[in-house]
Amino acid sequence: MSGSRQMAESTSSVQEQASGSGPKKSGGKGLDAIYRSISAAIIEHRLKPGARLREDALADVFGISRTGIRKVLQRLALEQLVTLTPRRGASVTRPSVDEARDVFEARLMVECGLMEVAAKRITEADIQELRDMAKQEREALRNREQRSAIKLSAAFHARLAEISGNRTLAEFVGQLASRSSLILAVYGNAGHLGCESHDHDNLIELLAAGDGARASGFMERHLKSIEASLSIFEEPEETPDLKDIFAVDA
């Protein structure tokens, strides 16, 4: 069997099992539910970038086999929320500076481009749903519920993309929004999400008015504002003074 065919079958198996359609241990949570639990913990920063995800510990927590947990971790790795390292296992992905910049560049290209279509397709029901989501996010920010606000913001952007009707791009935006939560955890400033509390409300009103061009421009400013709020730079590489460090041992 060719390497490309093996990879395709492996990916298909991971997606099937992680979606909960494959077999699972009796009494344990479904794989899709476990995937959502771990994903939410990462997005909400309850699991920090770099945190190790031991298969045996997770299997014990969720009451399933390590094989099932491995499939969930593989799915999360496909979405770049988890990093799998030989002999070290799984850990929450810690985005590099280049990755952080790439994610926001991709979001600018995709999300801004979807606003014109969304403005044409949006319904009254969509507008009310978005207003409810924005209200929940404002309340979370007001109550200093950082984790909830981060999750709600990511969900808002994903829902906006869904309204465009392009499912493939909507899924991509959802993944980018999730990865952005990791970037916020690594490069963000405590107590600040980058989003102004009224930004999403302003965006909703532009879409409700059918003004796709202005909505696109506003989305661009919105995303650039989030990126500008981050401290995205490489930590300088330090050369330790070994003589000083080990002087006590001399």
Side-chain angles (χ1 to χ4, degrees):
M1 184 181 295
S2 69
S4 60
R5 183 179 174 186
Q6 285 178 322
M7 181 176 294
E9 290 184 358
S10 174
T11 300
S12 175
S13 175
V14 168
Q15 292 172 335
E16 176 185 22
Q17 294 288 343
S19 67
S21 60
K24 49 185 177 286
K25 180 179 176 180
S26 176
K29 292 180 78 173
L31 297 187
D32 192 54
I34 295 170
Y35 158 80
R36 290 195 301 270
S37 293
I38 299 176
S39 178
I42 293 171
I43 292 169
E44 296 169 15
H45 300 175
R46 285 181 282 124
L47 282 172
K48 303 293 186 183
R52 289 193 62 190
L53 302 172
R54 288 175 45 198
E55 290 179 5
D56 57 344
L58 288 171
D60 183 58
V61 166
F62 291 109
I64 69 167
S65 68
R66 289 181 63 177
T67 299
I69 287 296
R70 194 171 298 126
K71 293 181 186 300
V72 173
L73 293 175
Q74 287 171 342
R75 179 180 176 184
L76 290 164
L78 287 174
E79 297 181 4
Q80 301 186 53
L81 293 179
V82 163
T83 298
L84 301 177
T85 307
R87 294 184 298 279
R88 188 176 184 275
S91 61
V92 178
T93 297
R94 183 180 180 86
S96 69
V97 166
D98 287 341
E99 288 170 333
R101 289 173 177 154
D102 285 349
V103 165
F104 276 96
E105 184 177 356
R107 291 189 67 176
L108 280 168
M109 288 189 287
V110 178
E111 293 190 66
C112 294
L114 290 176
M115 290 303 96
E116 295 257 13
V117 181
K120 294 176 182 177
R121 293 176 54 93
I122 199 165
T123 66
E124 286 298 325
D126 293 330
I127 293 167
Q128 187 56 53
E129 181 184 3
L130 291 172
R131 284 173 175 161
D132 290 342
M133 295 175 77
K135 180 181 178 181
Q136 291 177 50
E137 184 185 353
R138 285 197 310 275
E139 290 175 351
L141 286 169
R142 190 181 306 117
N143 296 328
R144 300 184 182 277
E145 296 171 354
Q146 184 91 344
R147 294 171 179 174
S148 294
I150 289 168
K151 183 178 180 179
L152 289 165
S153 179
F156 180 89
H157 281 266
R159 182 69 187 105
L160 271 183
E162 288 175 357
I163 291 170
S164 73
N166 189 314
R167 291 182 60 185
T168 300
L169 288 178
E171 289 177 4
F172 184 44
V173 170
Q175 292 175 14
L176 290 173
S178 295
R179 292 177 66 188
S180 294
S181 73
L182 289 176
I183 294 167
L184 282 166
V186 176
Y187 302 105
N189 299 307
H192 189 260
L193 299 181
C195 290
E196 295 295 336
S197 61
H198 54 77
D199 272 9
H200 288 170
D201 294 290
N202 293 343
L203 189 54
I204 293 167
E205 296 312 311
L206 290 172
L207 292 171
D211 197 339
R214 288 183 64 194
S216 179
F218 190 90
M219 176 65 84
E220 180 180 1
R221 293 191 297 276
H222 175 61
L223 292 173
K224 286 183 175 179
S225 175
I226 297 173
E227 185 176 8
S229 75
L230 305 176
S231 301
I232 304 179
F233 57 85
E234 295 281 6
E235 292 288 344
E237 186 174 324
E238 296 183 2
T239 302
D241 187 333
L242 298 180
K243 287 184 179 180
D244 182 59
I245 290 173
F246 296 109
V248 69
D249 299 327

